[in-house]
Amino acid sequence: ALFLGYRMIKGKQKHSLSALDVMEAANTESTVDLDNLKLLELIGRGRYGAVFRGSLNERCVAVKLFSSSNRQNFANECSIYYLPLLQQHDNIARFLTADERTTADGQPEFLILMEYYPHGCLSRYLSLHSVDWLTCCRMTHGVTRGLAFLHTELYRGDQYKPAVAHRDVTSRNVLVRADLSCVLADFGLSMKLTGNRPCRPGDDDTMAISEVGTVRYMAPEVLGGALNLRDCESALKQVDVYALGLLYWESFRRCSDLFPGETVPEYQLAFQAELGNHPSFEEMQILVAREKYRPRFPEAWKENSLALRSLKETMEDCWDQDAEARLTAQCAEERLSELTLLSTHTAIQNHR
Ligand code: ADP
Ligand code: ADP
Ligand code: MG
Ligand code: MG
């Protein structure tokens, strides 16, 4: 099995492991001393794992637990974290180690240890706090930078990082550091797009290629079954960028500077106003694929300041109905850099 060799170097307690340490760790036989791992508090529950705040030899860690039925998801997430160069990027979640153990009832269970992010996911942070312009730009820029990196095929010396599609970009799969910078996380559905095993139409898992992710964030071509599998690499990147546009909308709706003299609206997930908390695939299909509906911009954004114009245009260029017309993650990153440089005072007050 793919993951059986994943072991941690016993007693290693560096603040963050480099990709090289991880590769090295993958080849050692010593096992994680799970006796020293304590699960302290359930902090998240996604589709595939339960996530705990824990401690390992006094160090605070996050532990993502997968049951044996989610072994594939676990193995996939590990294989992404082990890719060269990934752990050196500032906007990718820090992976510490992975292992398996046996539960009391004899079932195998799999765990991923990662850095603990005290604020949790972006969606949670935004539901509890509004943010100023600069903070909001930095947060969304960080996510975008992480995604642009993930999408890029890289050769550095003898190291090769394939282009990877995330395939589950949502505000719940972005984690927030104490300094409010953001990292991309949850690579359970991610897929290598280049190298020796890229996705191809006609593969056994073509279905899996086209229909994964979180329904709320599914692009119109995924909902409508019209994903272009002939250019799988571009198509899957475009699907990620669509979801990124929705993440921008969720974030900037909580930006206090964009609601001068008003209270900032409560946090909402994309399409929550229209479809509530558990939209079905069919409801999303009708709304997004057929009616081409997208999240509404608030009244307060009617002002055509430079910042608001650029911001709205960036969202629209990310969630365009025509997948090929969407920005690349790299372009989106540039747009966000430009927005970050606009002071809201100039941008909002003086360009009306
Ligand atoms: P799933 O694949 O089941 O969706 P995730 O990796 O997305 O699992 O984790 C589920 C939730 O747990 C996240 O949305 C987040 O709220 C929380 N979480 C995950 N990892 C961490 C972490 N390292 N630090 C803090 N919270 C985390
Ligand atoms: P996988 O886990 O899918 O087997 P690999 O790490 O073996 O991925 O690499 C996938 C492919 O990427 C290789 O078959 C090769 O074509 C290419 N590749 C790997 N390393 C390099 C490199 N240093 N330079 C150029 N191409 C590379
Ligand atoms: Mg998740
Ligand atoms: Mg997941």
Side-chain angles (χ1 to χ4, degrees):
L2 181 62
F3 49 84
L4 288 178
Y6 295 173
R7 290 292 186 270
M8 190 173 95
I9 299 168
K10 210 171 183 176
K12 193 147 192 163
Q13 281 210 45
K14 293 206 321 196
H15 185 64
S16 67
L17 296 171
S18 70
L20 212 77
D21 290 328
V22 170
M23 297 310 285
E24 193 185 19
N27 294 322
T28 60
E29 283 307 308
S30 63
T31 53
V32 181
D33 196 346
L34 291 174
D35 292 345
N36 290 330
L37 177 66
K38 296 190 193 83
L39 303 187
L40 301 170
E41 179 198 2
L42 181 70
I43 53 174
R45 199 174 266 288
R47 251 174 314 167
Y48 304 102
V51 180
F52 292 82
R53 179 173 65 80
S55 76
L56 181 68
N57 307 321
E58 313 303 316
R59 183 194 165 153
C60 194
V61 294
V63 185
K64 184 170 176 178
L65 276 184
F66 301 75
S67 67
S68 55
S69 58
N70 292 320
R71 169 194 179 134
Q72 190 52 48
N73 200 257
F74 163 78
N76 193 61
E77 183 152 25
C78 290
S79 79
I80 300 297
Y81 276 125
Y82 281 119
L83 287 175
L85 306 174
L86 214 78
Q87 282 297 301
Q88 288 161 38
H89 198 277
D90 205 37
N91 303 107
I92 300 290
R94 281 290 157 273
F95 168 90
L96 300 173
T97 192
D99 212 323
E100 69 170 302
R101 64 182 187 185
T102 308
T103 59
D105 53 350
Q107 290 292 309
E109 111 184 311
F110 308 101
L111 35 87
I112 287 180
L113 262 65
M114 55 192 298
E115 180 177 326
Y116 171 66
Y117 294 84
H119 287 303
C121 65
L122 179 63
S123 159
R124 176 176 185 273
Y125 185 84
L126 293 171
S127 66
L128 297 172
H129 311 273
S130 63
V131 283
D132 63 23
W133 173 259
L134 197 58
T135 306
C136 197
C137 286
R138 284 186 178 145
M139 292 176 105
T140 49
H141 179 252
V143 180
T144 312
R145 203 170 157 259
L147 188 66
F149 170 78
L150 196 70
H151 282 183
T152 306
E153 184 181 33
L154 279 175
Y155 302 83
R156 287 248 176 90
D158 60 354
Q159 291 191 304
Y160 172 74
K161 178 205 157 288
V164 173
H166 185 282
R167 302 173 78 222
D168 199 10
V169 172
T170 77
S171 49
R172 288 203 171 107
N173 289 335
V174 167
L175 301 172
V176 182
R177 288 201 189 88
D179 69 0
L180 304 189
S181 57
C182 289
V183 298
L184 205 52
D186 192 357
F187 300 97
L189 297 173
S190 298
M191 191 178 251
K192 290 183 242 175
L193 301 172
T194 58
N196 64 356
R197 263 176 293 163
C199 65
R200 272 179 220 93
D203 282 358
D204 288 348
D205 45 18
T206 300
M207 266 299 280
I209 288 171
S210 47
E211 281 174 37
V212 297
T214 304
V215 171
R216 182 185 299 285
Y217 296 88
M218 275 184 186
E221 65 275 19
V222 176
L223 292 163
L227 193 76
N228 176 16
L229 292 169
R230 261 177 292 279
D231 184 1
C232 206
E233 181 178 349
S234 306
L236 293 181
K237 289 177 182 176
Q238 289 154 4
V239 166
D240 280 351
V241 169
Y242 167 87
L244 187 66
L246 301 182
L247 183 149
Y248 291 165
W249 180 87
E250 292 178 8
S251 305
F252 283 94
R253 258 186 91 261
R254 294 290 286 157
C255 175
S256 51
D257 289 317
L258 295 181
F259 299 89
E262 288 178 44
T263 47
V264 181
E266 293 283 300
Y267 176 73
Q268 272 181 4
L269 296 165
F271 305 117
Q272 192 173 4
E274 296 80 6
L275 299 178
N277 289 332
H278 304 285
S280 70
F281 186 88
E282 290 71 25
E283 287 171 320
M284 288 296 302
Q285 211 170 22
I286 293 167
L287 191 71
V288 171
R290 202 185 305 159
E291 291 172 8
K292 304 180 173 51
Y293 184 95
R294 295 295 184 275
R296 282 275 165 65
F297 297 132
E299 280 297 312
W301 296 7
K302 287 255 151 64
E303 289 297 343
N304 271 326
S305 68
L306 180 58
L308 277 171
R309 248 185 300 139
S310 321
L311 180 63
K312 289 187 286 187
E313 201 174 281
T314 300
M315 290 183 199
E316 286 166 344
D317 292 347
C318 284
W319 67 41
D320 203 296
Q321 191 80 8
D322 176 4
E324 289 180 18
R326 287 177 206 148
L327 299 178
T328 60
Q330 285 76 12
C331 282
E333 189 194 337
E334 272 175 49
R335 297 272 191 100
L336 263 297
S337 301
E338 288 164 16
L339 284 174
T340 309
L341 295 174
L342 291 176
S343 105
T344 37
H345 188 72
T346 324
I348 296 171
Q349 308 303 325
N350 297 349
H351 288 258
R352 291 193 165 170

